[in-house]
């Protein structure tokens, strides 16, 4: 009580300076107590500074660091990514619309598509006919289509994919580049988008044996086998396993450009009896 009353008296006499002196004294006393080594301390306060903080960060996040490193190394080996693809997988600065950088970006994606292993492999098979995805489709379809129009652009589907069809064996291979804006989790293509790509790619195979070259999806089952990373070329391979004049049963896979399995699917595509569908052979 005496100490408190004396401080109060001094404060009334001399004002705030005395209060500041008391606060400074308390702060010094606190620092002294923190700096005083305990009986069990093995190092001085000076030794436990930046190095200890860095050591603490790495020890606390060791699992995350090891997991991330393993993921990137595994992706590079299994998917055969280039260093540029790995660097832009999770974060990529996209160019503004209409800028010179946008054209350079599109040219880079087109080159990546054209030089991909799967495209070169398919071009070596003369039984497959090559065309660009969506380019020759009717305007009324292309301008309203989810994949062909809504998701067209930088960071999404920057360039049309390439389709290889074999009408003799009822097979279709769709090769496309998926950009960084198509992610669900950072750096990983949204699972729903994979479903959409499978739906459309399996339909390309399904209509090959059908007289009207058109059908609608009656059933689609998907099993996801591995993450589909963004900023890469993927191939969706589909083949008809059975068909009638109004129904096709199709199986397909999503793979990286070098054949790493990402997803599997089966689908049933039918021709409606009460509706006349337009041909989708150019989609």
């Amino acid at each position: 009580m005496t100490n408190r009353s004396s401080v109060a008296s001094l404060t009334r006499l001399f004002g705030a300076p005395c209060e500041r002196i008391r606060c400074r004294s308390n702060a010094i006393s606190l620092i002294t107590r923190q700096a005083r080594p305990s009986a069990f301390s093995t190092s001085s306060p000076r030794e436990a500074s930046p190095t200890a903080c860095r050591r603490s960060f790495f020890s606390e996040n060791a699992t995350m660091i090891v997991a991330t490193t393993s993921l990137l190394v595994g992706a590079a080996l299994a998917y055969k990514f280039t260093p540029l693809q790995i660097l832009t997988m999770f974060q990529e600065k996209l160019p503004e619309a209409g800028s010179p950088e946008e054209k350079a970006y599109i040219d880079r994606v087109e080159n990546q598509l054209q030089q991909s292993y799967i495209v070169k492999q398919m071009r070596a098979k003369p039984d497959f006919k090559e065309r660009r995805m969506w380019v020759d489709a009717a305007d009324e379809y292309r301008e309203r289509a989810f994949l062909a129009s809504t998701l067209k652009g930088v960071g999404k589907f920057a360039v049309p994919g390439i389709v290889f069809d074999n009408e003799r064996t009822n097979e279709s291979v769709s090769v496309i580049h998926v950009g960084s804006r198509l992610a669900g989790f950072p750096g990983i293509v949204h699972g729903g988008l994979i479903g959409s790509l499978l739906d459309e790619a399996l339909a390309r195979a399904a209509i090959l044996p059908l007289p009207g070259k058109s059908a609608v999806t009656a059933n689609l089952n998907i099993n996801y086998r591995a993450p589909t990373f963004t900023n890469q070329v993927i191939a969706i391979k589909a083949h008809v396993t059975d068909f009638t004049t109004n129904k096709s049963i199709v199986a397909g896979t999503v793979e990286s450009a070098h054949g790493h399995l990402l997803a599997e699917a089966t689908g049933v595509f039918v021709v409606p009896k009460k509706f006349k569908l337009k041909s989708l052979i150019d989609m």
Side-chain angles (χ1 to χ4, degrees):
M1 284 299 291
T2 306
N3 186 36
R4 289 184 181 178
S5 60
S6 61
V7 170
S9 302
L10 288 171
T11 303
R12 283 194 297 271
L13 288 172
F14 301 102
C18 224
E19 189 69 16
R20 286 198 295 271
I21 291 170
R22 185 174 66 134
C23 291
R24 193 171 299 142
S25 175
N26 289 341
I28 294 170
S29 146
L30 178 62
I31 292 170
T32 304
R33 286 198 303 270
Q34 290 177 338
R36 187 181 299 122
S38 68
F40 304 98
S41 175
T42 57
S43 61
S44 66
R46 183 173 295 180
E47 292 172 342
S49 51
T51 305
C53 291
R54 286 196 295 271
R55 190 183 303 119
S56 174
F57 172 81
F58 285 113
S59 61
E60 289 177 2
N61 297 277
T63 303
M64 182 185 70
I65 294 169
V66 171
T68 303
T69 304
S70 300
L71 177 66
L72 293 176
V73 172
L77 294 175
Y79 294 70
K80 300 188 185 299
F81 287 141
T82 64
L84 178 61
Q85 285 175 283
I86 294 174
L87 288 173
T88 60
M89 190 180 298
F90 298 100
Q91 187 173 3
E92 180 183 35
K93 185 177 180 181
L94 297 171
E96 295 182 4
S99 65
E101 291 78 14
E102 181 186 34
K103 184 180 183 306
Y105 173 92
I106 293 173
D107 289 344
R108 176 171 63 81
V109 172
E110 176 69 19
N111 183 68
Q112 190 176 342
L113 182 67
Q114 295 289 345
Q115 297 301 317
S116 64
Y117 176 78
I118 183 63
V119 167
K120 293 180 178 180
Q121 186 184 56
M122 294 306 301
R123 283 175 176 164
K125 299 180 179 182
D127 291 342
F128 284 83
K129 181 181 177 182
E130 178 183 344
R131 60 186 173 84
R132 291 308 290 257
M133 194 180 295
W134 309 314
V135 170
D136 296 324
D139 290 344
E140 60 181 344
Y141 169 80
R142 189 179 64 253
E143 291 173 0
R144 294 172 175 81
F146 175 56
L147 299 178
S149 179
T150 307
L151 294 183
K152 177 183 178 181
V154 169
K156 296 176 281 187
F157 297 127
V159 298
I162 303 175
V163 178
F164 299 89
D165 289 331
N166 188 330
E167 294 191 33
R168 183 178 61 82
T169 59
N170 298 323
E171 293 178 86
S172 181
V173 177
S174 304
V175 185
I176 193 165
H177 179 276
V178 286
S180 59
R181 286 179 174 168
L182 301 176
F185 288 104
I188 299 175
V189 178
H190 195 292
L193 181 63
I194 295 297
S196 297
L197 288 170
L198 276 165
D199 185 25
E200 190 167 294
L202 266 61
R204 289 191 183 97
I207 65 176
L208 291 176
L210 298 179
K213 303 299 181 186
S214 189
V216 296
T217 309
N219 178 270
L220 184 66
N221 293 299
I222 305 171
N223 290 310
Y224 297 92
R225 300 301 186 190
T228 300
F229 295 105
T230 57
N231 287 314
Q232 69 163 318
V233 173
I234 60 172
I236 308 171
K237 301 177 180 179
H239 64 280
V240 176
T241 59
D242 194 12
F243 69 94
T244 63
T245 56
N246 63 355
K247 182 173 73 173
S248 284
I249 300 174
V250 188
T253 59
V254 180
E255 301 176 7
S256 70
H258 289 269
H260 187 75
L261 181 63
L262 306 172
E264 296 175 303
T266 57
V268 178
F269 298 82
V270 299
V271 180
K273 294 180 179 179
K274 297 182 180 181
F275 300 95
K276 186 176 181 180
L277 302 176
K278 293 185 178 181
S279 173
L280 296 175
I281 194 66
D282 294 323
M283 72 175 184

